């Protein structure tokens, strides 16, 4: 298809590509929106169902739990426990227990819980006490009552837990009720009977009737005996559940008894043993999704139609002036940037051609200007670098030379001594080392030798020996340094770190290590140090990466120039780092490349 489109006119290709891009974009967007929206709707529907059933479960268990506590208080009552432990009671004792338990146990429950219609105690040997809240229900001797009590005795949980039955002995005019029963003990550890209370179902029904589902949605509760405790369809309440087995947990799609496909979600109440189930027709779940799909298709078709109109007008607006310009540009078949003559056929084309010609002219001028600017910049940079090299060679401390010469003159005037020869030789070595005109790298051992000659001269100037502690490992002696970087720093120490003269405790220590990509040479002293303000000022000057201005009597290559010399040889990422504490001393570290 692409080859077929490529053979067509520019207008046709623009139109088709525009339509393809719009169609693909709309399709991807529509499918993405539809899939994500359908998923969100489905998740939201399931979330709503889960929230409904969780709320129903919470309120149901809270309601039952209140009555469950009442049954717990009953089985721990001393009168009930004594009654269960008693055997062979005469009529009087039976009457006394009957009156006592009704008055002290059952009546308070009827007062606290008006929804309780009856409460009764039945022992395993057949003795019983019945209490009714209002109209009496079936007598204990009634056939239906006997069967009910027999079921309670057989199916009440043996572990003493709560058991709920969807049946009662209440009178018919009291309405439907549920029975909450537990096994009861005497003072011994064995179960000797059951205690039961019957609660009107209307209290629970009022909780469940507030559940808000769609018109086709259903809510039901099935007990342990597979009977329907509650159902949205009142006609199914109290009957056996005849649908498919209920699966507790995640949503499941099943057919109901009429064959309709429905989504079921259930929760099992651990307190009551009931299964709470909500269901919705699968058709209701898909209805919003179908509406979304229909609306998405309609909007997509409408957008595509509008895009076709826009594509047609857009293509024509581009190809028409291009065709006119093409006639004038055919004269420049070589592809060189040459000026095109005005066609004179339309203002739009003339404006486009004029703009093109102006662009060619300006671009040519700008290229020429950039070339000349770069050339001038390179020349200026070379001149500046040359000046920096020359300035570095000229910045040798004249004060040191003057003081040395003055020392020689003093020795020559007052005595003949070998010291003059030693000073002159050391001075000659230092001058020869210093006046070399390049910043090429030099070995550590050469810099140390230069410092040794300086210390020979300094010994005579100070009138005493001062030994520098050289802790540099021999393996670093052939490492590369920059010429004339170590001696200026040591000279700076004698000028500033020991302003009151050399004391016995003063020292200067030289050391070298390798740290990552760096070769570090450190010079440490325990002199006067620097204040934090002076140290900060010095660090700011080092960060400027510029040579120090040396005028008047300041002299000396100095720390700043040593820093700059290292950078000019090895690069901007190297140089000096200084740490100092006032009254404790200073450490100067030279950072140089490790692999040299």
């Amino acid at each position: 298809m692409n080859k077929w489109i490529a053979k067509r006119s520019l207008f046709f290709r623009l139109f088709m590509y525009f339509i393809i891009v719009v169609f693909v974009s709309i399709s991807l967007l529509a499918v993405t929106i539809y899939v994500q929206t359908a998923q969100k709707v489905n998740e939201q529907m399931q979330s709503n169902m889960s929230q409904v059933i969780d709320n129903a479960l919470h309120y149901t268990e809270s309601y039952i739990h209140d009555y469950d506590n009442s049954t717990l208080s009953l089985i721990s009552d001393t009168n009930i426990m004594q009654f269960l432990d008693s055997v062979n009671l005469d009529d009087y004792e039976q009457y006394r227990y009957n009156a006592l338990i009704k008055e002290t146990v059952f009546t308070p429950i009827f007062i606290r819980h008006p929804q309780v219609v009856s409460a009764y105690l039945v022992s395993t040997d057949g003795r019983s006490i019945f209490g009714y809240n209002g109209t009496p229900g079936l007598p204990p001797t009634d056939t239906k009552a006997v069967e009910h009590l027999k079921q309670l005795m057989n199916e009440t949980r043996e572990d003493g837990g709560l058991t709920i039955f969807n049946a009662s002995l209440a009178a018919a005019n009291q309405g439907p009720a549920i029975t909450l029963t537990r096994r009861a003990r005497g003072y011994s550890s064995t179960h000797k009977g059951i205690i039961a209370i019957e609660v009107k179902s209307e209290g629970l029904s009022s909780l469940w009737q507030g559940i808000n589902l769609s018109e086709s949605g259903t809510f039901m509760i099935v007990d342990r005996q597979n009977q329907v405790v509650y159902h949205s369809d009142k006609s199914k309440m109290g009957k056996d559940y005849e649908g498919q087995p209920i699966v507790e947990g995640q949503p499941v799609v099943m057919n109901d008894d009429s064959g309709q496909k429905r989504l079921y979600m259930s929760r099992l109440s651990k307190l009551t043993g009931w299964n709470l189930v909500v269901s919705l027709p699968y058709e209701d779940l898909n209805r919003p999704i179908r509406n979304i799909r229909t609306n998405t298709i309609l909007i997509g078709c409408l957008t595509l139609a509008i895009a076709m109109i826009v594509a047609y007008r857009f293509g024509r607006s581009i190809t028409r002036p291009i065709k006119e310009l093409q006639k004038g540009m055919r004269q420049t078949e070589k592809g060189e940037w040459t000026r095109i003559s005005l066609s004179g056929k339309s203002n739009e084309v003339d404006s486009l051609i004029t703009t093109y010609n102006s662009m060619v002219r300006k671009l040519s001028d700008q290229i020429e200007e950039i070339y000349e600017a770069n050339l001038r910049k390179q020349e200026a940079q070379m001149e500046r670098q040359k000046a920096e090299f020359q300035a570095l060679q000229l910045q040798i401390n004249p004060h040191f030379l003057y003081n040395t010469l003055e020392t020689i003159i003093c020795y020559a005037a007052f005595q003949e001594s070998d010291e003059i020869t030693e000073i002159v030789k050391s001075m000659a070595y230092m001058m020869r080392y210093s006046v070399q005109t390049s910043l090429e790298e030099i070995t550590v051992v050469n810099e140390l030798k230069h410092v040794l000659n300086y210390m020979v001269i300094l010994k005579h100037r100070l009138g005493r020996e001062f030994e520098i502690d050289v802790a540099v490992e021999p393996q670093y002696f052939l490492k590369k340094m920059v010429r004339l970087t170590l001696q200026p720093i040591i000279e700076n120490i004698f000028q500033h770190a020991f302003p009151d003269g050399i004391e016995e405790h003063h020292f200067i220590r030289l050391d070298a290590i390798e740290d990552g990509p760096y070769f570090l040479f450190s010079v440490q002293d325990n002199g006067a140090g620097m204040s934090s303000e002076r140290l900060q000022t010095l660090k700011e000057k080092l960060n400027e990466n510029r040579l120090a201005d040396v005028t008047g009597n300041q002299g000396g290559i100095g720390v700043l120039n040593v820093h700059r010399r290292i950078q000019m040889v090895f690069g901007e990422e190297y140089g000096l780092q200084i740490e100092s504490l006032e009254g404790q001393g200073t450490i100067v570290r030279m950072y140089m490349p490790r692999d040299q």
Side-chain angles (χ1 to χ4, degrees), residues 513-567:
I513 61 170
E514 290 181 339
D515 183 11
Y518 299 105
F519 171 58
L520 271 65
F521 197 100
S522 62
V523 181
Q524 181 181 3
D525 68 77
N526 63 342
M530 288 182 282
S531 64
S532 57
E533 294 80 7
R534 182 181 175 188
L535 178 62
Q536 182 63 29
T537 302
L538 181 57
K539 287 183 177 181
E540 291 175 356
K541 290 182 179 180
L542 289 176
N543 291 333
E544 293 176 359
N545 295 337
R546 296 177 57 187
L547 292 171
D549 294 331
V550 181
T551 58
N553 294 326
Q554 293 179 356
I557 293 178
V559 174
L560 299 179
N561 286 344
V562 170
H563 173 70
R564 185 56 181 159
R565 285 168 62 86
I566 295 174
Q567 288 187 330

Side-chain angles (χ1 to χ4, degrees), residues 132-162:
Y132 292 96
N133 186 12
T135 305
L138 294 175
T141 57
D142 185 89
T143 303
K144 184 178 179 181
V146 172
E147 291 296 327
H148 178 71
L149 294 175
K150 183 178 180 181
Q151 182 185 12
L152 295 185
M153 293 292 291
N154 292 334
E155 298 184 12
T156 300
R157 293 170 57 180
E158 294 183 357
D159 60 0
L162 179 69

Side-chain angles (χ1 to χ4, degrees), residues 429-446:
Y429 287 134
M430 291 186 66
M431 289 293 294
R432 186 180 304 111
Y433 188 80
S434 301
V435 298
Q436 296 182 10
T437 58
S438 64
L439 291 179
E440 75 274 9
E441 304 167 14
I442 201 72
T443 60
V444 172
V445 68
N446 285 334

Side-chain angles (χ1 to χ4, degrees), residues 454-455 458 462 464-469 489-509 523-530 534 583-586:
Y454 168 73
M455 292 304 297
L458 190 65
L462 297 176
R464 58 174 296 179
E465 292 278 357
F466 186 91
E467 293 185 0
I468 296 178
D469 182 11
I489 294 177
I490 294 177
E491 181 179 359
N492 190 68
I493 293 175
F494 284 104
Q495 290 181 355
H496 301 289
F498 308 140
D500 299 329
I502 305 298
E503 303 292 341
E504 290 297 330
H505 65 278
H506 285 153
F507 70 84
I508 298 175
R509 180 176 293 113
V523 181
Q524 181 181 3
D525 68 77
N526 63 342
M530 288 182 282
R534 182 181 175 188
Q584 298 184 25
T586 303

